[in-house]
Amino acid sequence: MRIDVVSIFPSFFDVLEVSLLGRARGRGLLDVRVHDLREWTYDRHRTVDDTPYGGGAGMVMKPEPWGEALDAITADAAPLPVIIFPSPAGEVFTQATARELAQREHLVFGCGRYEGIDERVFTHAAQLGEVRLISLGDYVLNGGEVAAMAMIEAVGRLIPGVVGNPESLVEESHEEGLLEYPSYTKPAAWRGLEVPPVLLSGNHGAIASWRLEQQLERTRARRPDLLGSDHDGAS
Ligand code: JEH
């Protein structure tokens, strides 16, 4: 998979060099190219923002550098790219979104700053690929970079060969809809805290039942929304 990222803070993405995705890049599974939006500015001050038409607080990203950047990046792109703009006004990113995006050959992330990007950029980008405005969640960030990073990690680990043990992905797909059961490792007793004895019993049926019970209990307590309707009496 090829991923292009456009940002005025390209060094944010240096962290992609390390860990899981860094190894995937080294092995040729993932081709991530980070671009500085200011490469496509031509004035002395490399200006990327201006005041909003109609008034209002803050600045808006100018369309011209974005148009040039997206034209250049998609010029040689063979299969139709998905062009993703992280946005607080987008559809909410979920594991289902990650799975859809992981099927594609080419993703482009346009990371805005300030109050966002001139709306005409999205219209133009629709001529170059499939445009999606996607929100990381219902809270306000200062720009698209952190959201893009989270999306890249979630999508990247679904590419075959990126996650070391594919069994862990299979297990995830079975568990979906419930929170995880608690995990323990050695030592069996630590600071007076014992590992639940059933996990040491060797009884695999009993272990599976205990884990499912834990999943249901935790989901009811922390994420009753995942169980369909609120049965916890909190509301
Ligand atoms: C933020 C891209 C580009 C900040 C505020 C406003 C909210 C009501 N989940 C996410 N949160 N924020 C972003 C995001 C994602 N993905 C995100 C961005 C950009 C993504 C610039 N910013 C900063 C920014 C305006 N407020 C948005 N409103 C719903 C709380 C109030 C207005 C725009 C842009």
Side-chain angles (χ1 to χ4, degrees), residues 12-179:
F12 263 52
F13 296 88
D14 288 356
V15 73
L16 292 176
E17 307 287 337
V18 295
S19 92
L20 193 74
L21 295 187
R23 292 209 314 277
R25 291 177 79 175
R27 286 155 57 221
L29 297 169
L30 205 52
D31 175 13
V32 183
R33 306 178 194 180
V34 182
H35 312 270
D36 186 343
L37 180 68
R38 292 189 206 275
E39 287 174 32
W40 291 281
T41 58
Y42 304 101
D43 65 311
R44 267 171 58 67
H45 302 291
R46 311 184 89 193
T47 310
V48 294
D49 63 323
D50 206 336
T51 54
Y53 275 124
M59 300 292 270
V60 174
M61 295 191 101
K62 296 166 62 60
E64 302 96 320
W66 280 107
E68 300 247 5
L70 296 171
D71 288 352
I73 287 164
T74 58
D76 58 320
L80 194 77
V82 186
I83 307 177
I84 298 149
F85 293 98
S87 165
E91 53 170 319
V92 175
F93 186 80
T94 66
Q95 190 65 21
T97 320
R99 264 190 250 106
E100 284 174 40
L101 296 176
Q103 304 303 310
R104 303 295 292 247
E105 212 39 66
H106 186 198
L107 307 181
V108 180
F109 286 88
C111 301
R113 280 268 149 181
Y114 313 104
E115 296 303 304
I117 304 172
D118 185 295
E119 189 71 19
R120 293 169 291 180
V121 171
F122 311 130
T123 310
H124 174 69
Q127 316 276 313
L128 306 173
E130 185 183 315
V131 172
R132 294 183 67 173
L133 272 65
I134 306 182
S135 168
L136 192 60
D138 291 339
Y139 35 80
V140 182
L141 303 173
N142 281 332
E145 285 80 5
V146 166
M149 198 98 68
M151 295 178 203
I152 290 166
E153 184 157 306
V155 171
R157 63 190 291 287
L158 297 179
I159 298 167
V162 170
V163 165
N165 179 8
E167 268 178 47
S168 56
L169 293 181
V170 172
E171 192 170 302
E172 272 173 23
S173 72
H174 285 286
E175 283 172 350
E176 217 156 283
L178 292 178
L179 300 185

